[in-house]
Amino acid sequence: MLHKVLAINSGSSSLKFKLFEMPTEKVLAAGQIERIGKTDAALKFSYTPEGSAETSKIEQKQPIESHEVAVQLMTQALIDNKVIESLSDIEGVGHRVSNGGDYYHDAVVVDDEVEQRIDELSALSPLHNPVNLQGMKAFDLQLPDVKQVATFDTSFNATIPLSTALYPIPYKYYEKYGIKRFGFHGPSHQYIAQETAKLVPEAHKLISCHIGNGASISAILDGKTINNSMGFTPLAGLMMGTRSGDIDPQIIPFLEEHEHLDADGIKAMLNEQSGILGISEISNDLREVEDAAAEGNKRAILTLAMFVHQIDFYIGAYAADLNGVDAITFTAGVGEHSATVRKLVAEHLSYLGVKIDDEKNNANAEFIQSADSKVKVLVVPTDEEVIIARDVVRLLKLGD
């Protein structure tokens, strides 16, 4: 029996969605609503009409004042374009949620208590959990009889041992506030771990590189995370599009004193003005920085060198955590599409026996290592939404 399941990723001003036919995992429709709260908000989605081999695309602009209105617009568009006959066709909705804290080490069916805990954990993920919850509440109103599932970014990282997860600050703050390394991008790293295991069954020691505007690297041993470069929040680890990644913590009081920045100013600087944008002063889009570097822009060249160095730094650290590495998999926007970054990263990994084939790398092939490489190097497109859809089917027992 086939089931229609929605996978949802709610942002502060956006709502991304995929409608799956399960268990075939066929994508019936996919898209996003952008600029929620603005008069020029836009719905964009694609679908394949029944009986057609061609994909149809829809784009419409109109004021969309809230996530509730966005959900109404999205579901009505699915009906109007005959992707579904009625709302009753949707049997489950899954949501990506940033932080499940120490409460949730797996996805969970949403109820009032779960919503309360997601709200409570907004203190740990203030930029993400509140809007994830908004998405849930919007579906509560639109599909009141349909059960929802929360898939947490932190769940796949719950296997990180405490000796790795704790920060060397007074232990009482872990006891009082739960401050530790949670790690993020869990659905992506979980998908990559599963796909890499299919492609390289003998690979027990995997380093998964989710490199996009947000970026994280995971050390995965026999399918379980033992480390992740993000930390207490998604701000930690690698430099990203606009996020700083790891910095000396003493920089914060220094800038508070000398630049007269308050807590909000510091948060804005670290989350919105740093990383690739902050160093290059060109863009947070690495493609534009790569183009500028190719033209000899010194700041772009510096940015690219910093970015590559940090990726190599974490790969080296995680090779030590794993006591070796069998496979390195690149995914997400940069990881999947930037042959330049992959090549530069690999040039500094010869000590691990990593060698890539330039022709395969430039073609974004599935396997890009050379014949004499001791480590398999893969490029695998991520699919966080299918992990969410699988969680919905498993927890709502739709396959029974």
Side-chain angles (χ1 to χ4, degrees):
M1 185 174 178
L2 300 176
H3 307 274
K4 292 183 174 67
V5 169
L6 272 170
I8 302 295
N9 188 347
S10 299
S12 58
S13 61
S14 66
L15 188 143
K16 297 179 183 178
F17 65 92
K18 277 188 182 179
L19 179 68
F20 287 92
E21 175 188 83
M22 299 296 284
T24 65
E25 299 185 355
K26 177 182 178 181
V27 178
L28 301 176
Q32 59 186 337
I33 297 172
E34 301 170 330
R35 297 187 295 278
I36 295 172
K38 305 290 186 181
T39 57
D40 61 344
L43 164 67
K44 301 176 183 177
F45 84 99
S46 59
Y47 68 101
T48 303
E50 190 171 348
S52 173
E54 295 187 4
T55 299
S56 295
K57 295 184 178 180
I58 302 292
E59 181 173 353
Q60 58 191 69
K61 292 186 177 181
Q62 65 184 79
I64 301 175
E65 62 186 32
S66 66
H67 282 74
E68 180 184 341
V69 174
V71 168
Q72 293 171 355
L73 181 65
M74 181 264 289
T75 51
Q76 189 60 48
L78 293 175
I79 293 171
D80 291 344
N81 291 282
K82 296 181 171 55
V83 181
I84 58 175
E85 292 184 7
S86 68
L87 294 182
S88 62
D89 287 354
I90 299 171
E91 297 182 64
V93 181
H95 296 265
R96 179 182 175 186
V97 180
S98 176
N99 203 319
D102 278 329
Y103 289 127
Y104 304 113
H105 294 173
D106 192 4
V108 64
V109 177
V110 176
D111 57 18
D112 290 343
E113 180 183 346
V114 171
E115 289 190 352
Q116 288 172 8
R117 284 181 169 174
I118 291 171
D119 186 38
E120 173 190 332
L121 290 164
S122 293
L124 303 186
S125 288
L127 299 179
H128 301 91
N129 270 36
V131 293
N132 301 152
L133 188 56
Q134 281 182 29
M136 289 179 187
K137 291 186 178 298
F139 277 94
D140 282 338
L141 294 171
Q142 184 71 358
L143 300 171
D145 298 324
V146 176
K147 290 184 178 180
Q148 301 185 67
V149 168
T151 295
F152 299 94
D153 256 24
T154 51
S155 291
F156 187 62
N157 303 312
T159 50
I160 297 174
L162 204 57
S163 58
T164 299
L166 282 187
Y167 292 103
I169 60 175
Y171 187 82
K172 63 183 179 182
Y173 296 129
Y174 168 62
E175 294 180 304
K176 188 174 183 179
Y177 301 113
I179 295 176
K180 70 169 189 175
R181 177 184 302 278
F182 287 106
F184 293 84
H185 287 147
S188 178
H189 290 297
Q190 181 178 353
Y191 180 82
I192 293 305
Q194 293 171 353
E195 291 301 302
T196 303
K198 294 176 188 175
L199 296 166
V200 193
E202 68 275 16
H204 299 283
K205 301 173 181 180
L206 167 66
I207 296 176
S208 172
C209 303
H210 178 109
I211 311 296
N213 191 52
S216 68
I217 297 179
S218 275
I220 300 172
L221 179 63
D222 290 326
K224 294 184 178 180
T225 307
I226 64 168
N227 213 337
N228 178 273
S229 59
M230 286 181 166
F232 180 57
T233 74
L235 180 61
L238 299 167
M239 66 187 289
M240 304 173 226
T242 61
R243 285 176 263 181
S244 66
D246 291 341
I247 64 168
D248 182 338
Q250 193 61 31
I251 292 171
I252 294 173
F254 179 90
L255 290 177
E256 286 176 334
E257 179 181 351
H258 289 80
E259 291 290 318
H260 308 293
L261 293 172
D262 60 11
D264 287 338
I266 290 289
K267 282 191 276 188
M269 183 271 291
L270 294 175
N271 282 283
E272 302 167 15
Q273 302 158 18
S274 298
I276 289 166
L277 174 64
I279 297 297
S280 71
E281 296 184 328
I282 295 169
S283 175
N284 68 308
D285 189 328
L286 195 70
R287 292 171 295 186
E288 296 181 26
V289 175
E290 281 188 34
D291 290 343
E295 295 171 359
N297 183 293
K298 291 184 178 179
R299 192 73 70 78
I301 293 169
L302 171 64
T303 304
L304 196 55
M306 289 176 63
F307 189 57
V308 167
H309 171 263
Q310 292 196 4
I311 297 170
D312 280 322
F313 176 88
Y314 273 100
I315 290 175
Y318 290 171
D321 272 353
L322 292 163
N323 194 21
V325 57
D326 299 319
I328 298 171
T329 303
F330 290 92
T331 193
V334 175
E336 293 171 28
H337 301 293
S338 178
T340 298
V341 167
R342 295 193 302 259
K343 177 180 174 62
L344 292 172
V345 167
E347 286 176 352
H348 295 276
L349 300 177
S350 59
Y351 69 98
L352 293 173
V354 173
K355 295 183 181 180
I356 64 170
D357 182 299
D358 286 339
E359 185 175 345
K360 293 177 181 177
N361 183 44
N362 290 333
N364 294 327
E366 190 169 61
F367 288 92
I368 61 172
Q369 77 277 357
S370 61
D372 58 342
S373 178
K374 294 180 180 178
V375 177
K376 294 289 193 296
V377 185
L378 297 85
V379 179
V380 177
T382 193
D383 193 341
E384 296 163 293
E385 290 83 7
V386 80
I387 293 293
I388 297 169
R390 290 170 185 171
D391 283 342
V392 172
V393 170
R394 174 170 58 91
L395 292 174
L396 299 187
K397 304 184 187 308
L398 295 181
D400 292 353

